[in-house]
Amino acid sequence: KFSGRINLANLSKAYPVTLDIPLSGILEGNLATAFDMNAIETEQYQNTTNSGNITLSGFTYDSDAMANPLTINKTSLAFNNMTVTLNEFDAKSGTTDINANGSISNFLGYMFNDELLKGNFNITSNNFNLNDFMVADTTTPETTTTETEKAPTSTEESIKIPDFLDATLTVKANKVIYDNLNLTNTKGALVIKDETATLKDVSTNIFGGTVTLNGNASTKGTTPKFDMDLGINSFTISEAFKELELLKAL
């Protein structure tokens, strides 16, 4: 059982821990849990007892790997026997605002029996600027190898879509900015299941017209597979020339 209030800024003062990144914010919680391993092993999760809530407010995370600090104005989680509910998530990074709510089910099954972690989330944003998350590449170019030197073998692996996740994310953003492109009224759903990410009824307004996208990407096999349908309706050529640097150079 846990019940209390923690000022994260004072954490290193109260406990002998060294933090690479300073923390800030207030963590409040009231949690209680009780279960036996027999209930877990036999998947009788309804026989467990989990209740309570956690609230985090005024939290800021910053590091050199981020273009802008992430500030969580407030987020709250509620726990019961079967689900973890995200009642609210209100965050900001640079000019980007993010709000979300949703739920996670089968959390105990995922933790103890390697079962699927299931979830449904709604994500909204008034202004989502992808440039706020872009970090400039500061790596120095590699020197040319001589005849007697061997170039290092790349060990980079492709990104794998999780096989333990069964989740649906419904997204709506009034404005999305990427580089110098401005997209409005962006909405749609992303379904992640069985190592496959499926886009459903994704649409956005750009260049005076509408772009729609449906399809999926799968990393289940050795080679990733993509199957996408792109729809374009009523582009305005003058708007495209105005916003695309590539077309300006033609």
Side-chain angles (χ1 to χ4, degrees), residues 45-67:
Y45 305 123
Q46 68 275 10
N47 295 332
T48 65
T49 300
N50 300 285
S51 63
N53 56 77
I54 292 178
T55 300
L56 177 65
S57 59
F59 176 82
T60 298
Y61 181 83
D62 191 12
S63 76
D64 294 337
M66 302 174 62

Side-chain angles (χ1 to χ4, degrees), residues 20-74:
D20 295 331
I21 300 173
L23 297 179
S24 64
I26 302 298
L27 178 66
E28 297 179 88
N30 184 8
L31 293 175
T33 183
F35 60 86
D36 59 67
M37 288 309 299
N38 181 62
I40 299 298
E41 292 170 355
T42 58
E43 302 179 15
Q44 300 298 310
Y45 305 123
Q46 68 275 10
N47 295 332
T48 65
T49 300
N50 300 285
S51 63
N53 56 77
I54 292 178
T55 300
L56 177 65
S57 59
F59 176 82
T60 298
Y61 181 83
D62 191 12
S63 76
D64 294 337
M66 302 174 62
N68 295 285
L70 173 66
T71 299
I72 299 177
N73 299 316
K74 187 177 181 181

Side-chain angles (χ1 to χ4, degrees), residues 109-129:
Y110 165 71
M111 286 187 62
F112 294 104
N113 290 331
D114 294 327
E115 297 176 13
L116 285 178
L117 184 64
K118 301 178 181 181
N120 290 280
F121 294 93
N122 301 305
I123 303 170
T124 61
S125 176
N126 186 56
N127 185 76
F128 196 95
N129 190 343

Side-chain angles (χ1 to χ4, degrees), residues 172-188:
K172 183 176 182 180
N174 291 334
K175 185 176 183 180
V176 176
I177 301 172
Y178 175 65
D179 199 9
N180 65 331
L181 297 178
N182 294 284
L183 294 78
T184 59
N185 194 28
T186 301
K187 56 187 177 181

Side-chain angles (χ1 to χ4, degrees), residues 15-210:
Y15 300 96
V17 293
T18 301
L19 301 175
D20 295 331
I21 300 173
L23 297 179
S24 64
I26 302 298
L27 178 66
E28 297 179 88
N30 184 8
L31 293 175
T33 183
F35 60 86
D36 59 67
M37 288 309 299
N38 181 62
I40 299 298
E41 292 170 355
T42 58
E43 302 179 15
Q44 300 298 310
Y45 305 123
Q46 68 275 10
N47 295 332
T48 65
T49 300
N50 300 285
S51 63
N53 56 77
I54 292 178
T55 300
L56 177 65
S57 59
F59 176 82
T60 298
Y61 181 83
D62 191 12
S63 76
D64 294 337
M66 302 174 62
N68 295 285
L70 173 66
T71 299
I72 299 177
N73 299 316
K74 187 177 181 181
T75 185
S76 64
L77 294 169
F79 299 81
N80 62 35
N81 287 2
M82 303 302 293
T83 63
V84 179
T85 301
L86 177 65
N87 290 320
E88 63 176 316
F89 179 85
D90 177 8
K92 187 176 180 66
S93 182
T95 60
T96 296
D97 63 275
I98 304 171
N99 287 272
N101 59 61
S103 64
I104 297 173
S105 60
N106 203 37
F107 185 69
L108 293 178
Y110 165 71
M111 286 187 62
F112 294 104
N113 290 331
D114 294 327
E115 297 176 13
L116 285 178
L117 184 64
K118 301 178 181 181
N120 290 280
F121 294 93
N122 301 305
I123 303 170
T124 61
S125 176
N126 186 56
N127 185 76
F128 196 95
N129 190 343
L130 290 168
N131 302 316
D132 288 333
F133 303 94
M134 301 293 183
V135 179
D137 186 3
T138 58
T139 57
T140 56
E142 296 182 4
T143 56
T144 304
T145 57
T146 63
E147 292 182 0
T148 59
E149 293 177 329
K150 291 184 178 181
T153 302
S154 174
T155 58
E156 183 180 351
E157 296 183 357
S158 59
I159 296 175
K160 295 285 289 183
I161 299 171
D163 60 355
F164 60 83
L165 197 57
D166 180 358
T168 299
L169 288 76
T170 302
V171 178
K172 183 176 182 180
N174 291 334
K175 185 176 183 180
V176 176
I177 301 172
Y178 175 65
D179 199 9
N180 65 331
L181 297 178
N182 294 284
L183 294 78
T184 59
N185 194 28
T186 301
K187 56 187 177 181
L190 171 65
V191 179
I192 301 174
K193 185 177 181 180
D194 194 25
E195 296 186 61
T196 301
T198 302
L199 295 174
K200 290 188 175 182
D201 300 324
V202 176
S203 65
T204 188
N205 296 336
I206 186 173
F207 304 147
T210 302

